[in-house]
Each structure stands twice: as structure tokens, then as C-alpha cells.
Amino acid sequence: MLIPDAIHPKQTIYYVGAMILKHLQRNGATALSDLYVSLRTEHKYSFPIVLYALDWLYLIDAAKCEDGVVKLQNK
């Protein structure tokens, strides 16, 4: 479930995805490891949560990861 009622809204996949998009818009293409370190430092997100959010962003065609670099999907 993407929006469970038992956790804080800032811990949902939707919100983490929004933080990833914000980071990519601000900094451009970023290595997956650097993206994770940034999100862990700023928001205390775990690696699985970041990966789930990246999966969601890929499924909705908002971001992609190629050769370990995460970038916004060109529309």
C-alpha cells in the first residue's frame, strides 16, 4: 500500500518520490549513491524506501536510472 494510515505522511512512497524529484530538478542527474546519501542526511530515509520510490517514479515515467545515474525522464 502506498498510503498506509499507520505511518507519518512524510514516510510514504509518494512523499519520498516528491523529494527525489525535487532533488533531481535542483541538482540534475545524480549518482544513485549520492542521491541516497543526500536523502538519508536530509530526511533519514532508508535505502529500501528510496528504491521503492524510484521504482514508483520509473513506473509513472517520471525518472529513470541508467548505469547507476538517476535522471528525470524527458517528456
Side-chain angles (χ1 to χ4, degrees):
M1 177 183 288
L2 292 176
I3 306 180
D5 59 356
I7 65 171
H8 194 274
K10 288 186 177 183
Q11 296 295 322
T12 63
I13 300 303
Y14 287 128
Y15 189 85
V16 178
M19 294 298 100
I20 291 171
L21 290 175
K22 183 178 177 181
H23 177 87
L24 293 174
Q25 288 172 342
R26 191 174 42 209
N27 301 314
T30 306
L32 177 58
S33 58
D34 293 338
L35 176 64
Y36 169 64
V37 168
S38 175
L39 292 171
R40 184 188 64 195
T41 303
E42 292 177 35
H43 304 285
K44 308 290 187 232
Y45 292 134
S46 66
F47 193 64
I49 295 298
V50 172
L51 289 181
Y52 288 141
L54 283 171
D55 287 345
W56 177 68
L57 292 173
Y58 176 78
L59 288 172
I60 64 169
D61 205 27
K64 63 182 176 178
C65 185
E66 293 178 340
D67 299 324
V69 177
V70 181
K71 50 184 129 181
L72 291 173
Q73 187 73 312
N74 293 332
K75 302 276 178 171

